[in-house]
Each structure stands twice: as structure tokens, then as C-alpha cells.
Amino acid sequence: MRITETGDLWWKNAVIYSLDVETYNDGNGDGIGDFAGLAGRIDYLAELGVTCLWLMPFFPSPDLDDGYDITDFYNVDPRLGSLGDFVEVTRTAHDRGMRVIIDLVINHTSDQHPWFKQSRKSTDNPYRDWYVWRSDTPPDTSDKVVFPDQEDSIWEQDDKTGEWYLHNFYKHQPDLNIANPKVRDEIFKVIGFWAQLGVDGFRIDAVPFIFSTEGNTPEEIKAFGDPHDFLRDIRAMVGRRTGDGIILGEVNIPYKDQYTFFGQEHGDGLTMQFDFIGMQAAYLSLARQDPAPLVKALGQRPQLSHGTQWANFLRNHDELTLDKLTDKERQEVFDAFGPEPEMQVYGRGLKRRLPSMMGGDPRRIRMAYSLLFSLPGTPSLFYGEEIGMGEVLSEEGRMAVRTPMQWTPEPSAGFSTAGVRKLVAPLPSDGYSPEHVNVADQRSDPDSQYAFVRDLIFRYRQHPELGWGHHEVVEQPHTAVLALRCRHDENSVITLHNFSADGVTVAFSLDEEPGTVLVDVFTGEECRLDDKGRIEVVLDGYGYRWYRVHGPDDRRLY
């Protein structure tokens, strides 16, 4: 790998940081985050080491689903600022070396969107078939609903015409009819619009639902053809309009099906996909203190083409879904990390952030993030993870983790000059309150979670083979330890992670040329192999180590 290649396929060793504008920083004192406030925190993100900023929906919306119910794809919600404010943020981020991707929500709109208002007026309205309608009574679809505590069907009868419209999510979010070429044309215009304003790609929401043919006629399905051609067209257009832009997909389905969404061996579909299966296996491994489930998941990943990549995460803005685990496995994770009913949601996930799930144990928390950054793929962080923010369990469902960013120990967390009661969402209390968890205190503390994550990002960026290379398991005797080696051309890194609270001495062997040493990535300490290529490494409970394999002809600095 030439280092110059990393600038072309930049996403293969990027650091993605996801945030919601309305909960990040308030610039005008009304208690709601906005683009003016975000602009004032771009330097903070650059200092942290973020290379790709992912903005959750900021479009005009009734805000019944935290902005995912959109009424205008071509504008900014007035509460958050203007298009001019958006461009200022994007321009400033680019100047600081960060790319910006935004959510592309094309499965559905708000029922307040002008398109749907037209669609529901009559059965022969020009916008009628922009959505999916049926005149006959739908069958029982309670087993298909995404939010079983909120909906009991994916069809809703509309009073205007007496017919039913499709909504895979909430009833106030009618599904767009992607089989309609006019809808697809409009989606391309949306993509072109934001590309013209400087975005570097899109995170596509709920990708499998976009290609659902539920409610479409055989004629529509035949005319639509292969839905993946539409995905290829999106990838191609983003590339043409941005030069090196990406499409990052939310695709929580089995690996074999994810491979299809990547474009299979051609790699002309999604540029990146979040690895939901690997994430869930990681939590099962953490619960069992045994990396075997994670190793199994990594071994099941399909081999990707050169221009595609996995995105790894431990937390995102939704519930921590465990839907791909068996009932018994899911219960193991519940018992370990969310035993109380109020910590669980939808019967399949958790509404907690990682620090609280780990009982606030800094050893275990840091091991988990070290693991995230060492897995094959690109790491993605959810805002506040870098300082160890907690959740507000009294908030409904997924909103528990979407709390204001905690900048200072002040009552309103430095998020806003408004009083606590006027904030867009409540702040965590007890040990995770702003008094105890905030950026200001941690930036000046070399032993803080913030300092740890910043250094972790720096070390990860120093070793692009972690994002580019081929990973293999290194044989060693401890079932609680995961030893991975990542190789790419002449570069190689070995990472060790102890999933147990008990310290261990890890012995393993490497087949390397004489004079090779292992250099501790974080300390610079050299560890020499014996004359048979063996080495022993001490790992504390929940300990971790990264080693660069440094051969006699390796000219890299350390």
C-alpha cells in the first residue's frame, strides 16, 4: 500500500463522527442546537481527529421522529438555521480536513410533505402513485412492523379516499414508491442539490426497505427491474458529482444479503455498510467475556472488493439492536448490560450508552473502544462517546441516548445559555450529569476518556493498514483473549484484547525475519522475539495492546 492511495479511497481509514445538529450546540440561546452552534465546534472535532462528519437529518420536519419525518428535502429546518448556515459549516469542516456526509432518507416522507398531501386528495391525483396505495383491505401485517409498541400494521387507511397507504415505519411516515421513475428522478435531484452545496456523500437510511415491492403491482415490479440498479445509479451519480463521495448504508440483514448491496464482486453498490451483525456479536462476546462470537462473525463476513468497506460501531443514534442474536443470546446481553425493563426497548434492543452498560469501569470501556478501532473496517463514533456520556432512561425509546452534548459542568452543560427546562432534551443525572462528564474538564486531563479517544484516533490514523488490510486470528492459549494480526503489503499490526477481568500472560509466535521487533503503538516500547520467534505479553484485566511489526528494513518512525 502506498500512503498516497489513502487519499483516494479515503473512507477505508476514516474516522466517522455522527451528530444531531439540534442536540450538539446551541448558537442563539433558544435551547435547540443549530448550525451556528455547530460551526463553533468544528475546531473541537478537528482536534479530536474526526475526518468524516455525519449529520443526522436537519431538514424541515414536524419532528415526530426526531427529524426523519421530512417535509422538504431541499431545505434546512428553520429552528436549526438556513442553507447559508449549512454551507458555512460544510466549508469550515472542509478547511479543517473533514468531509461531510448527510442522511439521505428516501424510504418515506412525513405525511405533512406536499407530495403526500397531494397524493391523498384523490385516486387520480398526479402524485397518487408517488406513494404505495391499495384499495383492498390488507392482511394482518403485525409481524412486519418495525416499532411493535407503536404500530400494529404497515398499512394505514386514509379517510380522504378510504384506501390504505404503506408505511414500514410510523403511520405518519408514508413510504415513497421507488418503483415510480418520477420518484427516482426526484431523488437524483435531491442528491444533486446537496452535492452542489458541498457534501461528500450520504448515509442512506433503511436501505432494504427502499427496495421493498410490498404493494407494487406486477407491472410496476417488472418495469422497475433490478432494484440494485437504482443503487448503482446512486453510487455512480455521487461519484460524478463529488469526485470521491460515498454512500454509506444502514443495512441490518445477513452477511450474504449485505454482499449483494455492496454490488457483489463488482463493488458498484454501497460504498460502505454498517456491520450490525459484528456489533451484536461484539456485545455477546463482551457479555460472555469470550471473543468467540465476534471471531465467528468476522469469519462469516464476505470478502469485499477493493473499493468497498465495512463501518464498525458500538453505538449509534437508534436502539442498540440485538435482533440478529438468538433469544437465548439476546437474553445474555440483556442480563449483562440492561437487566431492567426500562433499559430495554422493542423486545430486541437496549436504550443505553456503552459507559453505563459497562458499569462505568474505565478499563472495560477503553478496551471496548480499542477493540472498535482495531477491527477490520472503518470506526464510527456517536457524539458524546469520546467523553463517556450516559443516557436518560425516562426518555421514550431511542430518544434516551439523543441528549444534549455536554461541553461544561454548568447546569445546561454549556450546550446552551438557555435554562435547563428550555433545552431540546433532558440531560443525564447522577454520575453522568454534566457536572461529572463534560468536554471542558476532560480536555485538560491527560487521563480522561477524551484524551484516550483522541490518542486512539491518532494511532489508528498512523496505521492505515488497520482499515485496508487483511485480518487473521493469531493463535494463543487464552479463551478470553482476542489476538488479531492485520497485514497490508509490507505493513503489519498485531492487536491484543483481554475480555476478562483477570490478568493474563499471552504467549504467541510469529514467523518473521531476524531483527524484527514488536513496537508498542502507544508507548514506543520495543519487544523482541526470541530466536524461535516467540514472545510473551502481559495483559491486565480488560487490557489491550497494539504492536507494529517492525522489520529490519522498515523505515517508519516510532
Side-chain angles (χ1 to χ4, degrees):
M1 175 183 63
R2 298 190 310 273
I3 195 66
T4 50
E5 290 183 89
T6 62
D8 293 329
L9 304 184
W10 58 267
W11 56 87
K12 292 180 76 75
N13 64 309
V15 176
I16 301 170
Y17 186 97
S18 167
L19 66 85
D20 187 348
V21 175
E22 75 169 1
T23 56
Y24 203 63
N25 194 42
D26 173 17
N28 62 8
D30 64 356
I32 301 171
D34 47 43
F35 277 103
L38 174 57
R41 296 294 187 237
I42 294 297
D43 282 336
Y44 163 79
L45 295 168
E47 175 190 275
L48 182 61
V50 172
T51 67
C52 180
L53 188 57
W54 159 25
L55 302 180
M56 290 168 59
F58 50 78
F59 314 99
S61 165
D63 209 26
L64 298 179
D65 185 21
D66 203 27
Y68 282 89
D69 47 328
I70 297 169
T71 57
D72 183 358
F73 289 103
Y74 296 100
N75 218 324
V76 171
D77 192 303
R79 298 176 308 132
L80 311 182
S82 67
L83 284 172
D85 294 322
F86 170 83
V87 171
E88 289 290 287
V89 164
T90 304
R91 171 59 185 161
T92 306
H94 287 165
D95 180 66
R96 304 306 195 270
M98 277 178 282
R99 290 173 169 87
V100 179
I101 64 174
I102 66 173
D103 256 292
L104 184 64
V105 185
I106 54 177
N107 167 252
H108 54 257
T109 69
S110 165
D111 61 3
Q112 299 304 304
H113 195 291
W115 301 340
F116 189 69
K117 286 184 176 181
Q118 287 292 323
S119 179
R120 72 196 315 180
K121 282 185 175 181
S122 66
T123 57
D124 58 357
N125 188 278
Y127 282 91
R128 185 68 169 184
D129 62 354
W130 280 50
Y131 296 84
V132 182
W133 293 88
R134 65 185 300 159
S135 57
D136 58 320
T137 303
D140 178 17
T141 55
S142 58
D143 61 330
K144 296 183 179 181
V145 298
V146 175
F147 306 116
D149 64 330
Q150 299 287 328
E151 306 290 349
D152 56 14
S153 173
I154 62 172
W155 293 96
E156 180 71 13
Q157 190 171 26
D158 187 55
D159 293 338
K160 297 271 187 176
T161 61
E163 294 191 347
W164 288 261
Y165 62 85
L166 179 67
H167 61 90
N168 273 295
F169 294 88
Y170 296 108
K171 62 172 64 76
H172 60 77
Q173 292 172 324
D175 279 24
L176 284 164
N177 182 11
I178 304 299
N180 184 343
K182 293 181 180 178
V183 172
R184 298 198 298 276
D185 286 346
E186 192 69 29
I187 289 170
F188 286 125
K189 290 178 184 177
V190 170
I191 292 170
F193 177 83
W194 292 103
Q196 196 69 23
L197 292 184
V199 305
D200 301 286
F202 301 86
R203 177 264 186 187
I204 305 182
D205 184 58
V207 178
F209 290 98
I210 296 170
F211 300 139
S212 169
T213 56
E214 181 91 27
N216 288 128
T217 65
E219 293 75 20
E220 286 178 317
I221 295 172
K222 182 179 179 181
F224 187 16
D226 183 359
H228 291 280
D229 285 340
F230 177 51
L231 200 57
R232 295 183 186 99
D233 290 342
I234 291 177
R235 170 83 177 264
M237 182 181 183
V238 170
R240 290 193 306 272
R241 295 293 180 93
T242 67
D244 61 358
I246 65 168
I247 51 175
L248 167 59
E250 180 191 32
V251 189
N252 182 15
I253 57 177
Y255 280 137
K256 62 181 178 62
D257 299 318
Q258 284 185 275
Y259 187 53
T260 302
F261 281 89
F262 273 121
Q264 299 178 323
E265 69 275 9
H266 302 293
D268 55 357
L270 291 166
T271 319
M272 302 178 69
Q273 291 182 57
F274 288 109
D275 184 4
F276 283 89
I277 294 174
M279 177 274 291
Q280 296 177 54
Y283 277 99
L284 183 59
S285 288
L286 290 167
R288 290 179 176 177
Q289 300 194 16
D290 180 351
L294 177 58
V295 171
K296 179 181 178 182
L298 294 177
Q300 292 173 339
R301 279 179 169 183
Q303 188 67 37
L304 301 184
S305 65
H306 181 63
T308 54
Q309 178 76 310
W310 295 105
N312 300 313
F313 67 104
L314 290 175
R315 205 61 185 88
N316 64 7
H317 59 290
D318 285 330
E319 78 277 8
L320 183 70
T321 185
L322 304 167
D323 66 317
K324 295 299 183 290
L325 300 180
T326 66
D327 291 344
K328 180 177 179 297
E329 291 170 339
R330 187 179 308 111
Q331 191 59 50
E332 286 184 68
V333 180
F334 281 167
D335 291 344
F337 302 130
E340 303 301 326
E342 62 267 24
M343 299 174 178
Q344 302 166 16
V345 63
Y346 311 136
R348 63 173 185 255
L350 292 166
K351 48 188 287 190
R352 309 188 75 192
R353 281 185 179 255
L354 186 139
S356 56
M357 287 191 283
M358 300 293 132
D361 186 339
R363 302 173 305 159
R364 207 173 187 190
I365 295 168
R366 294 184 183 195
M367 186 277 285
Y369 283 109
S370 171
L371 176 68
L372 169 66
F373 276 79
S374 67
L375 291 175
T378 297
S380 177
L381 293 171
F382 184 48
Y383 77 94
E385 285 193 272
E386 73 274 20
I387 58 171
M389 278 172 50
E391 70 280 341
V392 178
L393 289 175
S394 60
E395 287 293 280
E396 183 178 349
R398 299 173 295 172
M399 301 306 294
V401 300
R402 303 180 187 182
T403 58
M405 181 66 179
Q406 296 169 203
W407 297 103
T408 72
E410 298 168 291
S412 293
F415 163 76
S416 175
T417 56
V420 173
R421 293 186 178 182
K422 291 186 177 181
L423 300 187
V424 67
L427 291 159
S429 58
D430 301 326
Y432 294 100
S433 69
E435 180 184 359
H436 301 288
V437 178
N438 65 79
V439 172
D441 290 344
Q442 292 194 24
R443 283 180 79 196
S444 58
D445 180 359
D447 296 321
S448 67
Q449 171 77 357
Y450 168 83
F452 163 74
V453 172
R454 184 178 62 181
D455 191 41
L456 191 62
I457 291 173
F458 177 71
R459 303 302 175 183
Y460 168 79
R461 292 284 292 170
Q462 274 188 319
H463 299 84
E465 58 266 38
L466 289 169
W468 284 68
H470 168 71
H471 286 65
E472 58 195 46
V473 176
V474 177
E475 293 297 327
Q476 50 78 40
H478 299 284
T479 58
V481 173
L482 175 60
L484 290 177
R485 181 168 187 170
C486 175
R487 305 174 189 256
H488 193 83
D489 295 339
E490 72 281 1
N491 299 327
S492 181
V493 171
I494 294 173
T495 58
L496 306 172
H497 291 87
N498 182 6
F499 284 62
S500 168
D502 300 322
V504 294
T505 298
V506 182
F508 56 93
S509 299
L510 302 175
D511 183 16
E512 298 295 329
E513 60 182 309
T516 296
V517 297
L518 299 187
V519 181
D520 189 303
V521 168
F522 294 97
T523 68
E525 177 187 359
E526 289 187 7
C527 300
R528 297 195 174 274
L529 308 175
D530 67 17
D531 55 5
K532 293 185 179 180
R534 296 177 302 193
I535 190 170
E536 290 188 348
V537 175
V538 175
L539 282 181
D540 294 333
Y542 302 127
Y544 59 90
R545 294 285 185 91
W546 292 16
Y547 290 104
R548 178 192 299 168
V549 181
H550 198 87
D553 297 325
D554 195 334
R555 300 187 61 191
R556 291 180 297 175
L557 298 174
Y558 65 88

